[in-house]
């Protein structure tokens, strides 16, 4: 239709980026899943007192694990949803194109100077 330009190609061009994001998420997820730490990782060695057992390494380990598990769940969600975003962009571009074709078809069917409802204007009287 005159008056605007279809940009569905730009929408389609955005879709593959989400597949690339998915690959980054997968490798990060693998790293995060293997990033568990034992309680011993949270003992603190000070130069003057040796190992400080009063710093509650179990508490730090639990806090670390909560953050690690949270990030793992966020990345698992992204791994599922990013491909869906790419697919949705393609579907949206296709629907946009289909709608535009239908509008063009309908307008051509309706707006035809040679139809029975509109007679061309006669020349000057």
């Amino acid at each position: 239709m005159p008056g605007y330009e279809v940009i569905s190609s730009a929408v389609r061009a955005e879709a593959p980026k989400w597949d690339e994001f998915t690959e980054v998420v997968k490798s990060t997820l693998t790293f995060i899943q293997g990033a568990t730490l034992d309680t011993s990782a949270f003992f603190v060695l000070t130069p003057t007192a040796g190992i400080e057992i009063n710093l509650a390494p179990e508490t730090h380990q639990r806090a670390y694990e909560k953050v690690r598990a949270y990030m793992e769940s966020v990345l698992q969600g992204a791994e599922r949803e990013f491909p869906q975003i790419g697919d949705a962009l393609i579907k949206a571009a296709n629907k946009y194109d289909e709608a535009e074709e239908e509008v063009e078809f309908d307008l051509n069917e309706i707006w035809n100077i040679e139809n029975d409802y509109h007679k061309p204007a006669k020349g000057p009287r």
Side-chain angles (χ1 to χ4, degrees):
M1 275 182 68
Y4 65 92
E5 182 179 338
V6 176
I7 56 164
S8 59
S9 61
V11 175
R12 281 188 188 84
E14 185 69 21
K17 293 177 186 178
W18 291 93
D19 294 332
E20 293 172 21
F21 295 156
T22 301
E23 293 307 312
V24 171
V25 164
K26 283 180 182 181
S27 64
T28 306
L29 178 58
T30 300
F31 175 80
I32 291 294
Q33 288 171 330
T36 58
L37 296 173
D38 293 330
T39 306
S40 62
F42 297 93
F43 281 102
V44 178
L45 179 63
T46 63
T48 56
I51 296 179
E52 294 284 343
I53 37 182
N54 292 333
L55 294 177
E58 296 85 8
T59 302
H60 295 293
Q61 192 272 338
R62 281 193 303 273
Y64 171 83
E65 181 55 27
K66 282 183 181 180
V67 172
R68 190 208 63 76
Y70 172 75
M71 290 308 302
E72 181 178 346
S73 69
V74 167
L75 291 167
Q76 286 172 336
E79 183 182 26
R80 280 189 310 274
E81 292 173 12
F82 283 3
Q84 293 174 12
I85 293 171
D87 292 346
L89 288 167
I90 296 294
K91 288 176 184 176
N94 290 344
K95 287 290 185 185
Y96 185 83
D97 287 344
E98 289 170 16
E100 183 180 76
E101 288 172 13
E102 188 165 323
V103 167
E104 284 182 5
F105 175 75
D106 287 348
L107 289 177
N108 287 332
E109 189 177 278
I110 295 167
W111 189 259
N112 185 344
I113 292 186
E114 302 300 325
N115 69 25
D116 294 335
Y117 303 108
H118 181 269
K119 302 293 182 202
K122 297 192 176 164
R125 295 183 189 190

